[in-house]
PDB file of all heavy atoms in Angstrom:
ATOM      1  N   TRP U  45     152.934 133.504  56.214  1.00 97.00           N
ATOM      2  CA  TRP U  45     152.757 134.465  57.306  1.00 97.00           C
ATOM      3  C   TRP U  45     152.914 133.706  58.623  1.00 97.00           C
ATOM      4  O   TRP U  45     152.286 132.667  58.827  1.00 97.00           O
ATOM      5  CB  TRP U  45     151.393 135.119  57.210  1.00 97.00           C
ATOM      6  CG  TRP U  45     151.308 136.083  56.056  1.00 97.00           C
ATOM      7  CD1 TRP U  45     151.048 135.780  54.750  1.00 97.00           C
ATOM      8  CD2 TRP U  45     151.520 137.486  56.117  1.00 97.00           C
ATOM      9  NE1 TRP U  45     151.076 136.920  53.993  1.00 97.00           N
ATOM     10  CE2 TRP U  45     151.358 137.988  54.804  1.00 97.00           C
ATOM     11  CE3 TRP U  45     151.821 138.383  57.147  1.00 97.00           C
ATOM     12  CZ2 TRP U  45     151.482 139.341  54.503  1.00 97.00           C
ATOM     13  CZ3 TRP U  45     151.944 139.731  56.843  1.00 97.00           C
ATOM     14  CH2 TRP U  45     151.780 140.193  55.540  1.00 97.00           C
ATOM     15  N   VAL U  46     153.784 134.213  59.514  1.00 96.00           N
ATOM     16  CA  VAL U  46     154.167 133.516  60.744  1.00 96.00           C
ATOM     17  C   VAL U  46     153.865 134.399  61.961  1.00 96.00           C
ATOM     18  O   VAL U  46     154.187 135.586  61.968  1.00 96.00           O
ATOM     19  CB  VAL U  46     155.683 133.193  60.739  1.00 96.00           C
ATOM     20  CG1 VAL U  46     156.087 132.476  62.010  1.00 96.00           C
ATOM     21  CG2 VAL U  46     156.057 132.380  59.516  1.00 96.00           C
ATOM     22  N   LYS U  47     153.280 133.796  62.972  1.00 95.00           N
ATOM     23  CA  LYS U  47     153.063 134.428  64.278  1.00 95.00           C
ATOM     24  C   LYS U  47     153.510 133.403  65.308  1.00 95.00           C
ATOM     25  O   LYS U  47     152.974 132.294  65.329  1.00 95.00           O
ATOM     26  CB  LYS U  47     151.584 134.779  64.452  1.00 95.00           C
ATOM     27  CG  LYS U  47     151.230 135.432  65.775  1.00 95.00           C
ATOM     28  CD  LYS U  47     149.741 135.736  65.797  1.00 95.00           C
ATOM     29  CE  LYS U  47     149.315 136.302  67.122  1.00 95.00           C
ATOM     30  NZ  LYS U  47     147.851 136.554  67.158  1.00 95.00           N
ATOM     31  N   ARG U  48     154.514 133.744  66.150  1.00 93.00           N
ATOM     32  CA  ARG U  48     155.075 132.712  67.017  1.00 93.00           C
ATOM     33  C   ARG U  48     155.736 133.284  68.249  1.00 93.00           C
ATOM     34  O   ARG U  48     156.044 134.470  68.317  1.00 93.00           O
ATOM     35  CB  ARG U  48     156.075 131.884  66.241  1.00 93.00           C
ATOM     36  CG  ARG U  48     157.334 132.648  65.860  1.00 93.00           C
ATOM     37  CD  ARG U  48     158.333 131.691  65.240  1.00 93.00           C
ATOM     38  NE  ARG U  48     159.591 132.297  64.947  1.00 93.00           N
ATOM     39  CZ  ARG U  48     160.568 132.492  65.822  1.00 93.00           C
ATOM     40  NH1 ARG U  48     160.422 132.121  67.067  1.00 93.00           N
ATOM     41  NH2 ARG U  48     161.705 133.055  65.474  1.00 93.00           N
ATOM     42  N   SER U  49     155.980 132.391  69.204  1.00 92.00           N
ATOM     43  CA  SER U  49     156.740 132.771  70.390  1.00 92.00           C
ATOM     44  C   SER U  49     158.233 132.776  70.069  1.00 92.00           C
ATOM     45  O   SER U  49     158.665 132.333  69.005  1.00 92.00           O
ATOM     46  CB  SER U  49     156.422 131.836  71.560  1.00 92.00           C
ATOM     47  OG  SER U  49     156.708 130.498  71.242  1.00 92.00           O
ATOM     48  N   GLU U  50     159.018 133.256  71.010  1.00 89.00           N
ATOM     49  CA  GLU U  50     160.431 133.538  70.746  1.00 89.00           C
ATOM     50  C   GLU U  50     161.345 132.327  70.807  1.00 89.00           C
ATOM     51  O   GLU U  50     162.360 132.289  70.126  1.00 89.00           O
ATOM     52  CB  GLU U  50     160.917 134.570  71.773  1.00 89.00           C
ATOM     53  CG  GLU U  50     162.350 134.961  71.618  1.00 89.00           C
ATOM     54  CD  GLU U  50     162.769 136.037  72.589  1.00 89.00           C
ATOM     55  OE1 GLU U  50     161.952 136.475  73.421  1.00 89.00           O
ATOM     56  OE2 GLU U  50     163.940 136.442  72.510  1.00 89.00           O
ATOM     57  N   TRP U  51     161.061 131.330  71.564  1.00 89.00           N
ATOM     58  CA  TRP U  51     162.069 130.383  72.043  1.00 89.00           C
ATOM     59  C   TRP U  51     162.294 129.168  71.165  1.00 89.00           C
ATOM     60  O   TRP U  51     162.573 128.088  71.668  1.00 89.00           O
ATOM     61  CB  TRP U  51     161.718 129.968  73.466  1.00 89.00           C
ATOM     62  CG  TRP U  51     161.535 131.178  74.318  1.00 89.00           C
ATOM     63  CD1 TRP U  51     160.351 131.650  74.825  1.00 89.00           C
ATOM     64  CD2 TRP U  51     162.529 132.108  74.720  1.00 89.00           C
ATOM     65  NE1 TRP U  51     160.559 132.810  75.520  1.00 89.00           N
ATOM     66  CE2 TRP U  51     161.905 133.126  75.473  1.00 89.00           C
ATOM     67  CE3 TRP U  51     163.906 132.209  74.508  1.00 89.00           C
ATOM     68  CZ2 TRP U  51     162.583 134.186  76.024  1.00 89.00           C
ATOM     69  CZ3 TRP U  51     164.581 133.281  75.063  1.00 89.00           C
ATOM     70  CH2 TRP U  51     163.932 134.238  75.806  1.00 89.00           C
ATOM     71  N   PHE U  52     162.254 129.297  69.863  1.00 93.00           N
ATOM     72  CA  PHE U  52     162.546 128.175  68.971  1.00 93.00           C
ATOM     73  C   PHE U  52     164.051 127.936  68.883  1.00 93.00           C
ATOM     74  O   PHE U  52     164.832 128.877  68.794  1.00 93.00           O
ATOM     75  CB  PHE U  52     161.985 128.414  67.564  1.00 93.00           C
ATOM     76  CG  PHE U  52     160.521 128.098  67.473  1.00 93.00           C
ATOM     77  CD1 PHE U  52     159.584 129.037  67.810  1.00 93.00           C
ATOM     78  CD2 PHE U  52     160.102 126.834  67.095  1.00 93.00           C
ATOM     79  CE1 PHE U  52     158.236 128.745  67.752  1.00 93.00           C
ATOM     80  CE2 PHE U  52     158.759 126.523  67.044  1.00 93.00           C
ATOM     81  CZ  PHE U  52     157.825 127.481  67.376  1.00 93.00           C
ATOM     82  N   GLU U  53     164.448 126.675  68.902  1.00 94.00           N
ATOM     83  CA  GLU U  53     165.847 126.324  68.651  1.00 94.00           C
ATOM     84  C   GLU U  53     166.159 126.544  67.172  1.00 94.00           C
ATOM     85  O   GLU U  53     167.230 127.022  66.824  1.00 94.00           O
ATOM     86  CB  GLU U  53     166.111 124.876  69.046  1.00 94.00           C
ATOM     87  CG  GLU U  53     166.020 124.639  70.533  1.00 94.00           C
ATOM     88  CD  GLU U  53     166.123 123.176  70.908  1.00 94.00           C
ATOM     89  OE1 GLU U  53     166.419 122.331  70.026  1.00 94.00           O
ATOM     90  OE2 GLU U  53     165.900 122.872  72.083  1.00 94.00           O
ATOM     91  N   ALA U  54     165.216 126.167  66.319  1.00 95.00           N
ATOM     92  CA  ALA U  54     165.336 126.379  64.875  1.00 95.00           C
ATOM     93  C   ALA U  54     163.936 126.445  64.288  1.00 95.00           C
ATOM     94  O   ALA U  54     163.035 125.734  64.728  1.00 95.00           O
ATOM     95  CB  ALA U  54     166.128 125.253  64.217  1.00 95.00           C
ATOM     96  N   GLN U  55     163.779 127.308  63.311  1.00 96.00           N
ATOM     97  CA  GLN U  55     162.535 127.348  62.543  1.00 96.00           C
ATOM     98  C   GLN U  55     162.850 128.009  61.211  1.00 96.00           C
ATOM     99  O   GLN U  55     163.477 129.071  61.179  1.00 96.00           O
ATOM    100  CB  GLN U  55     161.436 128.122  63.258  1.00 96.00           C
ATOM    101  CG  GLN U  55     160.109 128.041  62.489  1.00 96.00           C
ATOM    102  CD  GLN U  55     159.019 128.775  63.211  1.00 96.00           C
ATOM    103  OE1 GLN U  55     158.959 129.992  63.165  1.00 96.00           O
ATOM    104  NE2 GLN U  55     158.162 128.026  63.894  1.00 96.00           N
ATOM    105  N   TYR U  56     162.434 127.346  60.138  1.00 97.00           N
ATOM    106  CA  TYR U  56     162.730 127.906  58.825  1.00 97.00           C
ATOM    107  C   TYR U  56     161.771 127.372  57.774  1.00 97.00           C
ATOM    108  O   TYR U  56     161.194 126.295  57.912  1.00 97.00           O
ATOM    109  CB  TYR U  56     164.170 127.614  58.405  1.00 97.00           C
ATOM    110  CG  TYR U  56     164.607 126.173  58.481  1.00 97.00           C
ATOM    111  CD1 TYR U  56     164.324 125.280  57.455  1.00 97.00           C
ATOM    112  CD2 TYR U  56     165.324 125.710  59.577  1.00 97.00           C
ATOM    113  CE1 TYR U  56     164.741 123.961  57.519  1.00 97.00           C
ATOM    114  CE2 TYR U  56     165.742 124.390  59.654  1.00 97.00           C
ATOM    115  CZ  TYR U  56     165.450 123.526  58.616  1.00 97.00           C
ATOM    116  OH  TYR U  56     165.848 122.205  58.683  1.00 97.00           O
ATOM    117  N   LEU U  57     161.605 128.162  56.708  1.00 98.00           N
ATOM    118  CA  LEU U  57     160.947 127.705  55.497  1.00 98.00           C
ATOM    119  C   LEU U  57     161.977 126.929  54.702  1.00 98.00           C
ATOM    120  O   LEU U  57     163.169 127.212  54.769  1.00 98.00           O
ATOM    121  CB  LEU U  57     160.465 128.890  54.651  1.00 98.00           C
ATOM    122  CG  LEU U  57     159.612 129.962  55.315  1.00 98.00           C
ATOM    123  CD1 LEU U  57     159.152 130.969  54.261  1.00 98.00           C
ATOM    124  CD2 LEU U  57     158.447 129.379  56.048  1.00 98.00           C
ATOM    125  N   PHE U  58     161.532 125.953  53.914  1.00 98.00           N
ATOM    126  CA  PHE U  58     162.469 125.216  53.073  1.00 98.00           C
ATOM    127  C   PHE U  58     161.862 124.891  51.720  1.00 98.00           C
ATOM    128  O   PHE U  58     160.645 124.857  51.553  1.00 98.00           O
ATOM    129  CB  PHE U  58     162.976 123.936  53.755  1.00 98.00           C
ATOM    130  CG  PHE U  58     161.923 122.900  54.036  1.00 98.00           C
ATOM    131  CD1 PHE U  58     161.530 121.984  53.068  1.00 98.00           C
ATOM    132  CD2 PHE U  58     161.331 122.822  55.281  1.00 98.00           C
ATOM    133  CE1 PHE U  58     160.578 121.017  53.336  1.00 98.00           C
ATOM    134  CE2 PHE U  58     160.376 121.859  55.567  1.00 98.00           C
ATOM    135  CZ  PHE U  58     159.996 120.955  54.593  1.00 98.00           C
ATOM    136  N   ALA U  59     162.756 124.684  50.752  1.00 98.00           N
ATOM    137  CA  ALA U  59     162.389 124.217  49.412  1.00 98.00           C
ATOM    138  C   ALA U  59     163.400 123.149  49.039  1.00 98.00           C
ATOM    139  O   ALA U  59     164.601 123.317  49.237  1.00 98.00           O
ATOM    140  CB  ALA U  59     162.413 125.349  48.406  1.00 98.00           C
ATOM    141  N   ARG U  60     162.914 122.029  48.502  1.00 98.00           N
ATOM    142  CA  ARG U  60     163.802 120.944  48.081  1.00 98.00           C
ATOM    143  C   ARG U  60     163.155 120.202  46.915  1.00 98.00           C
ATOM    144  O   ARG U  60     162.002 120.434  46.581  1.00 98.00           O
ATOM    145  CB  ARG U  60     164.117 120.010  49.241  1.00 98.00           C
ATOM    146  CG  ARG U  60     162.918 119.326  49.848  1.00 98.00           C
ATOM    147  CD  ARG U  60     163.331 118.417  51.002  1.00 98.00           C
ATOM    148  NE  ARG U  60     162.164 117.927  51.704  1.00 98.00           N
ATOM    149  CZ  ARG U  60     162.003 117.963  53.006  1.00 98.00           C
ATOM    150  NH1 ARG U  60     162.925 118.449  53.779  1.00 98.00           N
ATOM    151  NH2 ARG U  60     160.919 117.498  53.556  1.00 98.00           N
ATOM    152  N   ASP U  61     163.951 119.324  46.302  1.00 96.00           N
ATOM    153  CA  ASP U  61     163.465 118.495  45.182  1.00 96.00           C
ATOM    154  C   ASP U  61     162.974 119.344  44.015  1.00 96.00           C
ATOM    155  O   ASP U  61     162.007 118.994  43.350  1.00 96.00           O
ATOM    156  CB  ASP U  61     162.354 117.534  45.649  1.00 96.00           C
ATOM    157  CG  ASP U  61     162.786 116.667  46.810  1.00 96.00           C
ATOM    158  OD1 ASP U  61     163.976 116.300  46.868  1.00 96.00           O
ATOM    159  OD2 ASP U  61     161.942 116.356  47.672  1.00 96.00           O
ATOM    160  N   TYR U  62     163.635 120.459  43.747  1.00 97.00           N
ATOM    161  CA  TYR U  62     163.218 121.363  42.682  1.00 97.00           C
ATOM    162  C   TYR U  62     164.101 121.263  41.442  1.00 97.00           C
ATOM    163  O   TYR U  62     163.913 122.013  40.495  1.00 97.00           O
ATOM    164  CB  TYR U  62     163.162 122.815  43.180  1.00 97.00           C
ATOM    165  CG  TYR U  62     164.419 123.290  43.869  1.00 97.00           C
ATOM    166  CD1 TYR U  62     165.457 123.855  43.147  1.00 97.00           C
ATOM    167  CD2 TYR U  62     164.564 123.157  45.245  1.00 97.00           C
ATOM    168  CE1 TYR U  62     166.609 124.294  43.782  1.00 97.00           C
ATOM    169  CE2 TYR U  62     165.706 123.595  45.890  1.00 97.00           C
ATOM    170  CZ  TYR U  62     166.729 124.162  45.153  1.00 97.00           C
ATOM    171  OH  TYR U  62     167.868 124.590  45.786  1.00 97.00           O
ATOM    172  N   GLY U  63     165.062 120.327  41.444  1.00 94.00           N
ATOM    173  CA  GLY U  63     165.911 120.119  40.277  1.00 94.00           C
ATOM    174  C   GLY U  63     166.980 119.089  40.565  1.00 94.00           C
ATOM    175  O   GLY U  63     167.292 118.821  41.729  1.00 94.00           O
ATOM    176  N   ASP U  64     167.535 118.497  39.528  1.00 89.00           N
ATOM    177  CA  ASP U  64     168.587 117.500  39.704  1.00 89.00           C
ATOM    178  C   ASP U  64     169.786 118.123  40.408  1.00 89.00           C
ATOM    179  O   ASP U  64     170.303 119.154  39.986  1.00 89.00           O
ATOM    180  CB  ASP U  64     169.026 116.938  38.343  1.00 89.00           C
ATOM    181  CG  ASP U  64     167.938 116.093  37.702  1.00 89.00           C
ATOM    182  OD1 ASP U  64     167.079 115.570  38.435  1.00 89.00           O
ATOM    183  OD2 ASP U  64     167.950 115.971  36.465  1.00 89.00           O
ATOM    184  N   GLY U  65     170.204 117.500  41.499  1.00 89.00           N
ATOM    185  CA  GLY U  65     171.371 117.957  42.238  1.00 89.00           C
ATOM    186  C   GLY U  65     171.174 119.248  43.011  1.00 89.00           C
ATOM    187  O   GLY U  65     172.132 119.804  43.548  1.00 89.00           O
ATOM    188  N   ALA U  66     169.957 119.756  43.086  1.00 90.00           N
ATOM    189  CA  ALA U  66     169.697 121.005  43.798  1.00 90.00           C
ATOM    190  C   ALA U  66     169.750 120.776  45.299  1.00 90.00           C
ATOM    191  O   ALA U  66     169.207 119.792  45.810  1.00 90.00           O
ATOM    192  CB  ALA U  66     168.332 121.561  43.411  1.00 90.00           C
ATOM    193  N   ASN U  67     170.418 121.667  46.006  1.00 94.00           N
ATOM    194  CA  ASN U  67     170.484 121.604  47.461  1.00 94.00           C
ATOM    195  C   ASN U  67     169.231 122.212  48.076  1.00 94.00           C
ATOM    196  O   ASN U  67     168.597 123.080  47.473  1.00 94.00           O
ATOM    197  CB  ASN U  67     171.708 122.373  47.975  1.00 94.00           C
ATOM    198  CG  ASN U  67     173.002 121.720  47.560  1.00 94.00           C
ATOM    199  OD1 ASN U  67     173.121 120.504  47.536  1.00 94.00           O
ATOM    200  ND2 ASN U  67     173.987 122.534  47.227  1.00 94.00           N
ATOM    201  N   GLU U  68     168.892 121.755  49.291  1.00 97.00           N
ATOM    202  CA  GLU U  68     167.769 122.355  50.002  1.00 97.00           C
ATOM    203  C   GLU U  68     168.074 123.829  50.275  1.00 97.00           C
ATOM    204  O   GLU U  68     169.168 124.179  50.707  1.00 97.00           O
ATOM    205  CB  GLU U  68     167.520 121.623  51.316  1.00 97.00           C
ATOM    206  CG  GLU U  68     166.347 122.177  52.096  1.00 97.00           C
ATOM    207  CD  GLU U  68     166.033 121.391  53.342  1.00 97.00           C
ATOM    208  OE1 GLU U  68     166.692 121.641  54.377  1.00 97.00           O
ATOM    209  OE2 GLU U  68     165.141 120.530  53.291  1.00 97.00           O
ATOM    210  N   MET U  69     167.090 124.687  50.023  1.00 98.00           N
ATOM    211  CA  MET U  69     167.189 126.109  50.358  1.00 98.00           C
ATOM    212  C   MET U  69     166.378 126.351  51.618  1.00 98.00           C
ATOM    213  O   MET U  69     165.334 125.723  51.816  1.00 98.00           O
ATOM    214  CB  MET U  69     166.608 126.974  49.233  1.00 98.00           C
ATOM    215  CG  MET U  69     167.347 126.895  47.921  1.00 98.00           C
ATOM    216  SD  MET U  69     166.525 127.882  46.641  1.00 98.00           S
ATOM    217  CE  MET U  69     166.662 129.544  47.313  1.00 98.00           C
ATOM    218  N   THR U  70     166.836 127.278  52.475  1.00 98.00           N
ATOM    219  CA  THR U  70     166.104 127.596  53.693  1.00 98.00           C
ATOM    220  C   THR U  70     166.074 129.104  53.929  1.00 98.00           C
ATOM    221  O   THR U  70     166.928 129.839  53.439  1.00 98.00           O
ATOM    222  CB  THR U  70     166.733 126.920  54.931  1.00 98.00           C
ATOM    223  OG1 THR U  70     168.058 127.406  55.112  1.00 98.00           O
ATOM    224  CG2 THR U  70     166.732 125.409  54.802  1.00 98.00           C
ATOM    225  N   GLN U  71     165.089 129.535  54.710  1.00 96.00           N
ATOM    226  CA  GLN U  71     164.985 130.925  55.171  1.00 96.00           C
ATOM    227  C   GLN U  71     164.519 130.897  56.619  1.00 96.00           C
ATOM    228  O   GLN U  71     163.392 130.497  56.907  1.00 96.00           O
ATOM    229  CB  GLN U  71     164.009 131.724  54.306  1.00 96.00           C
ATOM    230  CG  GLN U  71     163.787 133.150  54.789  1.00 96.00           C
ATOM    231  CD  GLN U  71     165.065 133.959  54.775  1.00 96.00           C
ATOM    232  OE1 GLN U  71     165.734 134.055  53.759  1.00 96.00           O
ATOM    233  NE2 GLN U  71     165.431 134.547  55.905  1.00 96.00           N
ATOM    234  N   ASP U  72     165.402 131.309  57.541  1.00 95.00           N
ATOM    235  CA  ASP U  72     165.057 131.341  58.966  1.00 95.00           C
ATOM    236  C   ASP U  72     163.919 132.311  59.241  1.00 95.00           C
ATOM    237  O   ASP U  72     163.806 133.348  58.595  1.00 95.00           O
ATOM    238  CB  ASP U  72     166.264 131.781  59.803  1.00 95.00           C
ATOM    239  CG  ASP U  72     167.314 130.700  59.930  1.00 95.00           C
ATOM    240  OD1 ASP U  72     166.984 129.519  59.760  1.00 95.00           O
ATOM    241  OD2 ASP U  72     168.472 131.048  60.218  1.00 95.00           O
ATOM    242  N   THR U  73     163.115 131.975  60.259  1.00 92.00           N
ATOM    243  CA  THR U  73     162.105 132.902  60.764  1.00 92.00           C
ATOM    244  C   THR U  73     162.592 133.553  62.055  1.00 92.00           C
ATOM    245  O   THR U  73     161.905 134.397  62.615  1.00 92.00           O
ATOM    246  CB  THR U  73     160.776 132.178  61.057  1.00 92.00           C
ATOM    247  OG1 THR U  73     160.972 131.276  62.145  1.00 92.00           O
ATOM    248  CG2 THR U  73     160.263 131.442  59.842  1.00 92.00           C
ATOM    249  N   ILE U  74     163.768 133.177  62.535  1.00 79.00           N
ATOM    250  CA  ILE U  74     164.269 133.590  63.845  1.00 79.00           C
ATOM    251  C   ILE U  74     164.347 135.109  63.988  1.00 79.00           C
ATOM    252  O   ILE U  74     163.978 135.656  65.026  1.00 79.00           O
ATOM    253  CB  ILE U  74     165.652 132.962  64.120  1.00 79.00           C
ATOM    254  CG1 ILE U  74     165.542 131.421  64.130  1.00 79.00           C
ATOM    255  CG2 ILE U  74     166.253 133.460  65.416  1.00 79.00           C
ATOM    256  CD1 ILE U  74     164.624 130.840  65.170  1.00 79.00           C
ATOM    257  N   ASP U  75     164.857 135.813  62.985  1.00 73.00           N
ATOM    258  CA  ASP U  75     165.033 137.259  63.102  1.00 73.00           C
ATOM    259  C   ASP U  75     163.799 138.046  62.711  1.00 73.00           C
ATOM    260  O   ASP U  75     163.791 139.269  62.823  1.00 73.00           O
ATOM    261  CB  ASP U  75     166.211 137.714  62.217  1.00 73.00           C
ATOM    262  CG  ASP U  75     167.528 137.145  62.710  1.00 73.00           C
ATOM    263  OD1 ASP U  75     167.653 136.911  63.922  1.00 73.00           O
ATOM    264  OD2 ASP U  75     168.416 136.927  61.877  1.00 73.00           O
ATOM    265  N   ASN U  76     162.773 137.367  62.264  1.00 71.00           N
ATOM    266  CA  ASN U  76     161.603 138.053  61.731  1.00 71.00           C
ATOM    267  C   ASN U  76     160.347 137.406  62.307  1.00 71.00           C
ATOM    268  O   ASN U  76     159.716 136.593  61.668  1.00 71.00           O
ATOM    269  CB  ASN U  76     161.612 137.947  60.199  1.00 71.00           C
ATOM    270  CG  ASN U  76     160.594 138.841  59.554  1.00 71.00           C
ATOM    271  OD1 ASN U  76     160.051 139.737  60.183  1.00 71.00           O
ATOM    272  ND2 ASN U  76     160.312 138.585  58.295  1.00 71.00           N
TER     273      ASN U  76
END
Side-chain angles (χ1 to χ4, degrees):
W45 288 83
V46 180
K47 180 179 176 182
R48 68 173 185 82
S49 58
E50 180 176 2
W51 307 109
F52 279 86
E53 292 173 8
Q55 185 179 77
Y56 52 83
L57 308 185
F58 64 84
R60 61 180 171 229
D61 305 326
Y62 52 88
D64 291 336
N67 294 322
E68 181 176 83
M69 296 177 63
T70 62
Q71 176 61 54
D72 286 338
T73 67
I74 299 299
D75 295 331
N76 191 15

